[in-house]
Amino acid sequence: MNTKIKVGIVGATGYTGVELLRLLTTHPNVEVTAVTSRSEAGIAVADYFPSLRGIYDLVFQTPDEAKLEQCNVVFFATPNGVAMKEAPALLAKGVRIVDLSADFRLQDIPTWEKWYGMTHACPEIVPQAVYGLCEMNREAIAGAKIVANPGCYPTCVSLPLLPLLKNGLLQAHAPLIADCKSGVSGAGRKASVGSLLCEAGDNFKAYGIGGHRHLPEIKQTIAGLQNGVAEGFVFVPHLTPMIRGMHATVYLHLQDGCNPYDILRDFYQDSPFVDVMQPGSTPETRSVRGANICRISIQKAAGNENVWVILSVIDNLVKGAAGQAVQNMNIMFGFTENTGLQAAPLLP
């Protein structure tokens, strides 16, 4: 397919918004025609993001000025609660949507309203939304009008578990623990004391132990793939003093006699963005920096025959957000899945 599609980005002033703009600069089938921001309307993208000087000559517009209904696809890189208000009108105009917020990730509306503290504006649209974990839902994404881009933690945790759950290999009712770490960019670009250099630098802390919004999202995926596992799931996120990167250490109990490495390797052999490393490997966050890649390894825990340890790393802004959103767009429009996403990771 050689035709260029018109792309709009709502809420393009945050980290995921600028990451979308960066990734789409090399996409041969895309023309970014509209970028919106109510607070920065009238300011040139290249002035707001100097990294994009000489690349974009667009100006931020209000959503009303941007004529988003003329786009083929619109990305919502907005805070939770925005996309659900604007999606119905765009869908009625035939515009496809990739929502990077959490507005359409949870199929159970009461659960969503409990965790996000607001009334859902368009519950009738939610059943149409396809959960955009590409390696799980490729066929459904291809025909989707609206895709709910997964959260960063759910992506990092779910990808290594996906093949094992689909094969029913986890022990039911046994503990399943995800010990996760994220760079500070995961908190977004808004001003926050906890994100200040003097607060986050040279520091390491857990947060959300009593309940994190990504917990029901991960449990939804687990419960849909294997019975009796989600109930034993424990998720603890941590903030690390780095800008980008996410690391999940997952402790799980597997059925006797299975070879999880072979299952992971075979399941992902045709997936361009999942790298199953040799047993005993320890993937590093810097090995995926700036790239749409999830690197995974698995090995037995020392001294316990039934306990296995999975290590999973992604760039939270790419495979955990903007990169996966572009991957979803590629699948939706029939482009080769890795189009615009072939850049190697950055080092150092």
Side-chain angles (χ1 to χ4, degrees):
M1 185 174 182
N2 296 318
T3 304
K4 282 197 173 186
I5 60 172
K6 294 182 178 180
V7 170
I9 302 173
V10 179
T13 56
Y15 291 135
T16 54
V18 69
E19 197 70 355
L20 278 168
L21 287 166
R22 180 182 74 87
L23 294 171
L24 292 173
T25 59
T26 61
H27 200 298
N29 305 111
V30 160
E31 179 186 3
V32 180
T33 59
V35 288
T36 79
S37 171
R38 295 184 186 278
S39 61
E40 308 302 333
I43 296 176
V45 170
D47 290 339
Y48 195 78
F49 293 120
S51 60
L52 299 176
R53 284 177 59 84
I55 299 173
Y56 286 103
D57 58 3
L58 294 167
V59 173
F60 290 111
Q61 299 174 293
T62 66
D64 293 336
E65 296 170 332
K67 299 181 180 178
L68 295 170
E69 71 279 358
Q70 296 180 9
C71 295
N72 300 103
V73 62
V74 169
F75 293 96
F76 279 89
T78 50
N80 301 319
V82 175
M84 64 180 182
K85 297 174 184 174
E86 301 183 19
L90 290 173
L91 291 170
K93 295 286 188 179
V95 180
R96 292 188 177 186
I97 292 172
V98 180
D99 178 25
L100 283 80
S101 79
D103 286 8
F104 297 97
R105 292 176 187 164
L106 299 182
Q107 286 294 309
D108 185 76
I109 300 298
T111 299
W112 188 90
E113 292 179 342
K114 170 188 172 183
W115 283 91
Y116 289 92
M118 62 185 91
T119 301
H120 205 289
C122 59
E124 72 282 358
I125 300 294
V126 173
Q128 302 176 33
V130 175
Y131 188 61
L133 191 64
C134 302
E135 289 76 12
M136 182 173 75
N137 286 331
R138 277 191 183 92
E139 290 186 10
I141 292 167
K145 302 300 182 185
I146 179 169
V147 167
N149 212 60
C152 48
Y153 282 123
T155 298
C156 199
V157 172
S158 299
L159 283 174
L161 290 177
L162 176 57
L164 306 176
L165 291 165
K166 287 179 73 72
N167 283 279
L169 295 181
L170 274 70
Q171 292 184 19
H173 311 297
L176 172 62
I177 300 169
D179 181 10
C180 301
K181 289 86 177 175
S182 175
V184 182
S185 61
R189 202 163 186 250
K190 62 185 181 297
S192 171
V193 171
S195 300
L196 295 174
L197 177 62
C198 291
E199 303 291 329
D202 297 322
N203 191 33
F204 181 86
K205 67 176 182 179
Y207 66 99
I209 299 172
H212 188 282
R213 289 172 171 178
H214 286 171
L215 175 63
E217 183 180 341
I218 302 171
K219 291 182 74 171
Q220 175 180 262
T221 297
I222 294 171
L225 293 171
Q226 185 179 346
N227 292 328
V229 176
E231 294 81 356
F233 180 65
V234 177
F235 168 55
V236 181
H238 299 73
L239 185 67
T240 62
M242 59 183 181
I243 296 172
R244 291 173 179 257
M246 179 164 285
H247 189 297
T249 304
V250 184
Y251 305 93
L252 62 162
H253 294 72
L254 294 179
Q255 304 288 352
D256 294 338
C258 69
N259 187 331
Y261 168 73
D262 287 348
I263 291 165
L264 285 163
R265 180 198 61 198
D266 293 347
F267 186 88
Y268 285 122
Q269 62 182 346
D270 296 321
S271 294
F273 299 118
V274 180
D275 175 24
V276 179
M277 303 173 70
Q278 290 293 321
S281 301
T282 52
E284 304 175 56
T285 57
R286 69 173 186 164
S287 75
V288 296
R289 183 180 174 90
N292 193 55
I293 297 170
C294 177
R295 299 198 198 278
I296 299 167
S297 72
I298 187 167
Q299 55 189 292
K300 276 189 177 180
N304 195 316
E305 285 297 310
N306 292 323
V307 178
W308 292 77
V309 180
I310 287 176
L311 305 174
S312 173
V313 298
I314 62 171
D315 184 321
N316 55 292
L317 293 179
V318 189
K319 185 59 173 168
Q324 185 156 227
V326 174
Q327 188 180 350
N328 273 309
M329 179 198 70
N330 286 339
I331 297 171
M332 293 170 80
F333 286 89
F335 304 137
T336 302
E337 192 168 329
N338 64 355
T339 306
L341 296 170
Q342 300 178 53
L346 303 172
L347 191 70

